[in-house]
Amino acid sequence: MKSSGLTIGELADRFGLATHVLRHWESKGLLAPRRVAGGQRRYTESDVTRVAMILIGKEAGFELGDLRTLLDGGDPRRHTDLLHRHLAALQERIDRAAAAKELIEHGLACPEPFDTCPHARQHIAAHIPG
């Protein structure tokens, strides 16, 4: 990295992001790059690490406000309620994805179409309200 830091374009390119994403994260309090002459942003290695942490958090399903709370709040154990809620939601997503995967795997092996396969029909029926 240059000693003067990365420009917004360089940081965005490094992560494959659009520059407006970094500006948005800054507006939400997730990033606070230093400014140089003309108000241009310069990002340090700690900003690079922070962008990686934001992306990891987004992949895990955290909303930006929750990420700001976690990243700015020091010890994550201070936010156990938030983490427990998110953990439960994440487990629910994992369970739904596992069920979908199992149905697809069954569909690949089953000689019957989905609409006549008893296993698939049972799965489909469980998703029909009342």
Side-chain angles (χ1 to χ4, degrees), residues 1-127:
M1 179 182 311
K2 300 184 288 191
S3 62
S4 63
L6 295 173
T7 66
I8 191 169
E10 291 168 335
L11 181 61
D13 287 346
R14 186 164 178 182
F15 284 96
L17 299 169
T19 56
H20 72 85
V21 171
L22 298 175
R23 286 187 198 96
H24 178 67
W25 291 351
E26 183 179 347
S27 76
K28 296 297 184 182
L30 286 163
L31 293 173
R34 68 182 175 84
R35 301 290 181 136
V36 296
Q40 291 185 336
R41 297 164 175 86
R42 289 295 185 265
Y43 297 90
T44 64
E45 278 299 324
S46 64
D47 294 314
V48 172
T49 299
R50 184 131 171 143
V51 168
M53 291 188 314
I54 293 167
L55 290 171
I56 290 167
K58 285 180 58 56
E59 286 174 8
F62 282 101
E63 295 179 6
L64 295 181
D66 290 341
L67 280 173
R68 186 181 60 244
T69 298
L70 291 170
L71 294 175
D72 291 343
D75 186 347
R77 292 172 293 183
R78 292 179 42 207
H79 307 288
T80 56
D81 288 347
L82 170 63
L83 292 171
H84 282 294
R85 278 193 316 273
H86 188 72
L87 186 60
L90 187 57
Q91 186 61 55
E92 186 178 319
R93 284 182 20 219
I94 290 168
D95 293 345
R96 285 194 315 265
K101 178 180 179 275
E102 187 271 330
L103 183 61
I104 291 168
E105 289 171 343
H106 179 81
L108 288 169
C110 184
E112 296 185 49
F114 265 31
D115 60 345
T116 59
C117 170
H119 178 80
R121 290 181 57 83
Q122 180 182 16
H123 187 81
I124 293 165
H127 284 78

